[in-house]
């Protein structure tokens, strides 16, 4: 059912679940005093800095600053969105997720269409095992491409047999079913016979395309020989927009233990073969270039993205398109790399030749975004004269201007000044000489659960884990285990990294992260309340202070009121109930600040909050009094009471200074 999940249910869910049990089912916890510690799942570390506080139902990592409640932990650790995390926790707690009444969403409206796509995937998988011509498909997969039955099962590979109406005869016997199959792009209507259809996919290996929830939303079909087109994709439908989706992303989320890096490659088979060799974090675009939507989508999941291209001229041109798509959505704390393969190689062939470790070494040796940007700008001009130098600087500046106002932009401007020997402020006002037209950028998504209310559950076949029994998927000639034997070492010359390579990226000089800005007095008080909610009922706050319009005071007021009204609730409950995006971001900023560690151990947090209130209320009274006295003008010095009040105010001002 569509609709928003009620806040009351989220409160009840957080009260029902125990964050210690949730984390313990995913990490190895060790009791340390009243808390538990573990190695943080969100960054690499050798000594545990991840702490779980069962009393406050809150986790925090003193290494990377990650923190939150049970919902945020499941979201981050399991790579789920807000609603998915709620549904998972509710299922474990034996609770049914209620929904408020809302308009039908596009998934609810197209439930029958999605069901037909799921049945189509099952049909194709069954043909790979049962059809009389299955050997044609299994021989191609096992012998020509070296895929095991196990990896075929993970990606749900199937076989569309020769013939015009195999799928139509199986799933389209009723008029309504035919209409849904047509709408899903699985059928094509005959031009000369209205109401008569034939299968879109015939005599092809089938690759189901899944959305982030694992639902089949489209297909790709690969021809066996030289038939054209070699790859045929589903057309766009109400549930499939190819510019928004990435092949293999769902499988990467399911089968990568710590997903903090995504590799973008060009083809379905590249994704699958890399996964068979243990590189499970690869995805592919669906017949389109990498665009800003793809990068934005991946940045929500990982901190590092590597774009993989051939080392030839076409590959470098594709890399520049990827660069231009990345710049407008680049974020501080994110990293984009570029891997250029030897000429004539693709990820499929290369990983067979050099194996997993060799391929990962190539990834380590990938080029940084800044290196590719500057190298491309150099290749566009002749640097032997002043005009060429000036054009080089302008080319780089035109790309840098596409970046949002982030620290990384300042870093690139500094690099440009050093390499070109110019003052970039004189360039920044100039209109870029060239720049690819940008795509419309949708509003940034937030974790407001109303946004995700469009999702509904569609049953899926259980074939998505590596460790399932796959005996029924062992087609003839397939290796019993993943790991196709690499072909003999090629006599090709080793990859020449000259055009873009620059050595291992860890060795490149990087700007140290900026120091966190000092918190103001109100922010310190907010942190005290967040980390010590029991003190709220011992604190009094005047109405004039609570009504102040600035963001910090509004957050302080809201936090104080929440814990006064709900003395049995903790930080986890508050985070689960808070849906103001701007205020939520500020709260997480405070919780991730370096001072949060000190506040967490503070003995007299109540006094720090009281000091803030006293200071604010005194300042508020001072400002009001000054305004009132100023409004009297020269009459102030003629009135004894006003004169005395003015003296006191001046004394307070001196003390405050």
């Amino acid at each position: 059912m569509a609709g928003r999940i009620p806040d009351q249910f989220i409160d009840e869910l957080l009260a029902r679940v125990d964050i210690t049990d949730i984390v313990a089912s995913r990490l190895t916890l060790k009791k340390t005093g009243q808390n538990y510690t573990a190695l943080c799942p969100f960054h690499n570390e050798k000594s545990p800095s991840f702490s779980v506080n069962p009393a406050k139902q809150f986790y925090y990592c003193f290494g990377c600053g990650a923190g939150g409640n049970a919902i945020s932990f499941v979201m981050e650790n399991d790579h789920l969105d807000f609603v998915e995390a709620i549904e998972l926790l509710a299922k474990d707690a034996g609770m049914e997720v209620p929904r408020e009444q809302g308009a039908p969403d596009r998934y609810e409206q197209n439930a029958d269409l999605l069901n037909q796509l799921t049945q189509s995937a099952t049909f194709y998988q069954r043909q790979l095992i049962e059809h009389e011509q299955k050997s044609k498909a299994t021989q191609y997969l096992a012998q020509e491409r070296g895929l095991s039955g196990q990896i075929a099962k993970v990606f749900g590979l199937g076989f569309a047999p020769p013939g015009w109406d195999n799928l139509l005869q199986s799933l389209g016997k009723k008029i309504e079913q035919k209409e849904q199959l047509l709408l899903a792009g699985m059928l094509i209507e005959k031009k000369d016979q209205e109401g008569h259809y034939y299968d879109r996919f015939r005599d092809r290996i089938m690759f189901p395309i899944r959305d982030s929830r694992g639902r089949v939303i489209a297909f790709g079909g690969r021809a066996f020989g030289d038939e054209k087109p070699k790859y045929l994709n589903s057309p766009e439908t109400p549930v499939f927009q190819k510019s928004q989706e990435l092949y293999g992303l769902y499988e990467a989320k399911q089968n990568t233990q710590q997903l903090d890096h995504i590799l973008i490659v060009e083809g379905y088979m590249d994704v699958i073969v890399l996964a068979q060799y243990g590189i499970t974090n690869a995805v592919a675009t669906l017949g389109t270039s990498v665009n800003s939507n793809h990068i934005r989508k991946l940045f929500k999941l990982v901190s590092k993205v590597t774009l993989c291209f051939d080392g030839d001229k076409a590959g470098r041109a594709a890399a520049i398109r990827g660069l231009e798509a990345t710049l407008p959505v680049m974020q501080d704390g994110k990293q984009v790399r570029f891997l250029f393969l030897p000429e004539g190689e693709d990820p499929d062939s290369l990983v067979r030749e050099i194996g997993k470790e060799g391929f990962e070494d190539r990834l380590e040796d990938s080029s940084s975004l800044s290196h590719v940007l500057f190298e491309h700008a150099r290749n566009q001009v002749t640097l032997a004269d002043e005009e060429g130098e000036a054009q080089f600087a302008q080319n780089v500046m035109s790309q840098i201007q596409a970046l949002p106002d982030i620290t990384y932009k300042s870093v690139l401007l500094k690099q440009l000044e050093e390499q070109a020997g110019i003052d970039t402020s004189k360039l920044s006002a100039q209109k870029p000489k060239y720049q690819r037209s940008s795509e419309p950028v949708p509003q940034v998504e937030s974790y407001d659960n109303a946004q995700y209310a469009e999702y509904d559950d569609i049953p899926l076949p259980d074939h998505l884990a590596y460790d399932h029994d796959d005996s029924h998927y062992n087609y003839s000639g397939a290796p019993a285990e993943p790991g196709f034997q690499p072909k003999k070492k090629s006599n090709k010359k080793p990859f020449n990294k000259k055009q873009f390579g620059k050595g291992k990226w860890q060795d490149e000089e990087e700007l140290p992260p900026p120091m966190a800005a000092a918190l103001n007095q109100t922010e310190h008080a907010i942190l005290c309340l967040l980390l010590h909610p029991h003190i709220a009922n011992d604190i009094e706050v005047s109405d004039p202070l609570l009504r102040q319009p600035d963001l910090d005071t509004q957050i302080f007021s809201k936090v104080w009121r929440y814990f006064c009204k709900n003395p049995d609730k903790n930080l986890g409950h508050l985070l689960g109930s808070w849906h103001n995006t701007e205020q939520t971001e500020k709260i997480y900023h405070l919780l991730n600040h370096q001072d949060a560690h000190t506040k967490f151990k503070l003995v007299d947090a109540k006094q720090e909050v009281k000091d803030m209130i006293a200071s604010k209320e005194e300042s508020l009274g001072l400002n009001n009094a000054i305004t009132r006295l100023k409004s009297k003008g020269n009459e102030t010095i003629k009135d004894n009471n006003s004169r005395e009040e003015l003296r006191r105010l001046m004394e307070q001002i001196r003390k405050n200074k």
Side-chain angles (χ1 to χ4, degrees):
M1 178 189 295
R4 186 177 185 272
I5 300 175
D7 293 344
Q8 184 178 358
F9 175 80
I10 298 174
D11 291 342
E12 185 180 349
L13 176 64
L14 286 169
R16 182 87 62 93
V17 302
D18 184 348
I19 193 171
T20 308
D21 295 337
I22 293 165
V23 176
S25 67
R26 294 162 172 81
L27 306 177
T28 301
L29 292 179
K30 181 180 179 181
K31 191 79 163 65
T32 52
Q34 295 181 344
N35 297 338
Y36 293 86
T37 59
L39 292 174
C40 180
F42 307 124
H43 78 288
N44 294 320
E45 62 178 9
K46 295 182 179 179
S47 57
S49 59
F50 183 86
S51 176
V52 178
N53 188 317
K56 296 182 173 65
Q57 290 292 296
F58 177 77
Y59 70 90
Y60 185 77
C61 177
F62 297 103
C64 68
N69 61 3
I71 297 173
S72 61
F73 177 80
V74 172
M75 287 171 63
E76 295 299 323
N77 187 77
D78 296 10
H79 310 296
L80 303 176
D81 65 34
F82 185 84
V83 171
E84 290 170 339
I86 293 287
E87 291 173 343
L88 178 62
L89 290 172
K91 181 180 179 181
D92 292 343
M95 302 170 69
E96 184 176 348
V97 181
R99 301 279 185 156
E100 296 175 349
Q101 285 298 110
D105 57 65
R106 67 189 179 107
Y107 285 97
E108 191 173 61
Q109 291 172 344
N110 294 289
D112 292 338
L113 183 150
L114 288 167
N115 184 50
Q116 286 291 78
L117 286 165
T118 300
Q119 291 189 43
S120 298
T122 302
F123 170 81
Y124 292 133
Q125 292 161 15
R126 193 166 61 245
Q127 303 313 301
L128 184 61
I129 300 166
E130 301 174 356
H131 196 272
E132 59 184 12
Q133 296 188 39
K134 66 178 183 180
S135 59
K136 177 181 183 179
T138 57
Q139 181 177 354
Y140 171 80
L141 292 173
Q143 298 180 15
E144 294 187 38
R145 306 312 299 255
L147 299 183
S148 69
Q150 185 176 2
I151 203 68
K153 179 184 175 184
V154 169
F155 285 89
L157 302 188
F159 171 47
W164 289 95
D165 59 359
N166 292 293
L167 183 70
L168 177 62
Q169 291 298 324
S170 178
L171 302 180
K173 296 178 180 178
K174 298 180 180 179
I175 295 177
E176 297 82 3
Q177 293 174 326
K178 290 179 182 178
E179 290 175 350
Q180 291 298 322
L181 287 171
L182 179 66
L183 184 62
M186 305 307 296
L187 301 179
I188 299 175
E189 187 172 17
K190 295 181 179 180
K191 293 182 179 179
D192 55 348
Q193 291 181 278
E194 185 177 352
H196 292 76
Y197 311 98
Y198 60 93
D199 292 354
R200 179 179 297 273
F201 298 99
R202 307 177 304 279
D203 198 21
R204 290 176 179 269
I205 295 293
M206 297 300 293
F207 302 83
I209 300 167
R210 299 187 177 104
D211 66 5
S212 61
R213 294 286 300 276
R215 293 172 295 207
V216 178
I217 56 174
F219 288 89
R222 207 278 187 193
F224 288 97
D226 297 327
E227 296 92 337
K228 302 295 181 182
K230 180 187 290 187
Y231 281 96
L232 177 65
N233 290 331
S234 294
E236 297 207 343
T237 70
V239 296
F240 174 60
Q241 291 79 44
K242 61 184 179 180
S243 64
Q244 304 287 331
E245 304 295 339
L246 289 162
Y247 177 76
L249 182 58
Y250 177 75
E251 289 79 5
K253 290 165 61 178
Q254 291 295 305
N255 298 300
T256 307
Q257 186 173 6
Q258 184 174 326
L259 187 64
D260 55 8
H261 174 204
I262 289 286
L263 171 65
I264 302 180
V265 295
E266 292 189 39
Y268 301 131
M269 203 60 72
D270 293 326
V271 172
I272 296 171
V273 173
L274 286 171
Q276 178 162 295
Y277 277 81
I279 302 172
T280 59
N281 61 328
V283 301
T285 56
L286 298 169
T288 65
S289 300
V290 176
N291 61 48
S292 298
N293 291 327
H294 294 139
I295 301 299
R296 189 185 298 106
K297 187 172 189 173
L298 294 180
F299 276 169
K300 293 176 183 176
L301 288 173
V302 298
S303 58
K304 180 180 176 183
V305 176
T306 299
L307 284 71
C308 182
F309 300 100
D310 295 341
D312 57 14
K313 184 177 180 180
R316 289 193 294 273
I320 298 307
R321 290 195 295 272
L323 171 74
E324 292 173 344
T326 299
L327 291 173
V329 296
M330 192 63 186
Q331 303 171 23
D332 284 330
K334 304 296 184 180
Q335 188 179 49
V336 175
R337 311 286 300 182
F338 293 81
L339 174 63
F340 295 93
L341 303 181
E343 190 170 350
E345 297 277 16
D346 55 30
D348 177 352
S349 62
L350 187 62
V351 75
R352 296 180 192 278
E353 181 179 335
I354 64 178
K356 177 184 178 182
E357 291 186 5
F359 196 90
E360 289 178 339
D361 287 342
R362 292 289 177 95
L363 285 173
E364 291 291 307
D365 204 27
S366 58
S367 301
S368 68
L369 183 150
S370 62
H371 182 64
V372 173
L373 190 158
F374 280 87
E375 191 73 10
H376 173 65
R378 288 190 186 94
N379 292 338
Q380 306 306 304
V381 300
T382 301
L383 294 176
D385 52 41
E386 291 80 0
E387 290 80 2
E389 292 283 354
Q391 188 58 56
F392 160 72
Q394 191 60 51
N395 288 350
V396 174
M397 178 59 74
S398 70
Q399 299 285 35
I400 293 177
Q401 285 178 330
L403 284 163
D405 290 330
I406 56 177
T407 305
Y408 186 65
K409 186 174 187 177
S410 301
V411 174
L412 293 186
L413 288 171
K414 182 179 179 182
Q415 288 185 18
L416 177 57
E417 288 185 346
E418 293 173 350
Q419 295 191 28
I422 60 172
D423 182 357
T424 56
S425 63
K426 297 179 180 179
L427 283 174
S428 59
Q430 299 180 30
K431 185 176 180 180
K433 184 170 181 179
Y434 70 95
Q435 190 167 344
R436 192 176 298 273
S437 60
S438 60
E439 302 164 302
V441 180
Q443 290 185 345
V444 178
E445 298 179 13
S446 70
Y447 284 132
D448 186 329
N449 71 65
Q451 170 188 338
Y452 296 99
E454 66 180 26
Y455 294 101
D456 63 302
D457 288 325
I458 300 294
L460 293 171
D462 185 18
H463 57 243
L464 300 175
Y466 279 87
D467 56 354
H468 285 183
D469 175 31
D470 65 335
S471 56
H472 68 284
Y473 232 103
N474 276 343
Y475 43 71
S476 174
E481 298 292 336
F484 184 66
Q485 292 296 320
K487 61 186 180 182
K488 293 183 180 180
K489 189 168 182 65
S490 170
N491 292 325
K492 295 178 183 178
K493 294 181 180 180
F495 175 39
N496 183 359
K497 298 180 291 181
K498 189 173 182 180
Q499 63 266 41
F500 280 112
K502 193 182 176 183
K504 292 187 179 294
W505 61 268
Q506 296 99 324
D507 298 332
E508 295 180 19
E509 183 178 354
E510 295 184 357
L511 193 72
M515 291 185 65
L519 300 181
N520 61 44
Q521 194 175 24
T522 308
E523 291 172 326
H524 279 291
I526 295 171
L527 259 181
C528 287
L529 280 179
L530 291 172
L531 300 175
H532 306 275
H534 63 279
I535 67 176
N537 273 312
D538 296 330
I539 294 170
E540 294 183 2
V541 188
S542 65
D543 286 342
L545 176 57
L546 293 174
R547 291 195 298 266
Q548 292 305 298
D550 63 284
L551 177 63
D552 291 342
T553 305
Q554 286 296 303
I555 293 176
F556 172 82
S557 302
K558 194 170 180 179
V559 172
W560 176 75
R561 285 193 178 106
Y562 180 87
F563 288 129
C564 284
K565 183 179 179 181
N566 304 284
D568 58 331
K569 299 293 180 69
N570 55 43
L571 175 58
H573 295 102
L574 180 137
L575 291 173
S577 66
W578 207 308
H579 305 300
N580 181 299
T581 304
E582 181 183 19
Q583 294 179 354
T584 301
E585 290 177 354
K586 182 61 182 283
I587 285 179
Y588 275 107
H589 165 72
L590 295 177
L591 290 172
N592 292 332
H593 194 277
Q594 59 194 21
D595 288 352
H597 179 53
T598 305
K599 291 290 181 290
F600 193 72
K601 297 183 176 182
L602 198 63
V603 176
D604 197 5
K606 181 179 11 178
Q607 188 58 48
E608 184 159 335
V609 178
K610 287 183 175 181
D611 290 344
M612 185 280 293
I613 294 171
S615 175
K616 286 288 184 180
E617 290 180 342
E618 180 180 358
S619 175
L620 185 60
L622 185 67
N623 292 338
N624 290 342
I626 290 174
T627 301
R628 186 176 70 256
L629 290 171
K630 281 184 176 180
S631 68
K632 294 183 178 181
N634 293 333
E635 294 300 315
T636 299
I637 59 172
K638 297 179 181 179
D639 180 84
N640 290 332
N641 292 332
S642 297
R643 192 181 298 113
E644 183 60 29
E645 185 177 5
L646 182 59
R647 280 199 206 93
R648 289 197 304 270
L649 289 174
M650 296 302 295
E651 183 62 28
Q652 287 183 26
I653 290 173
R654 281 193 292 270
K655 288 181 180 178
N656 290 342
K657 287 183 178 180

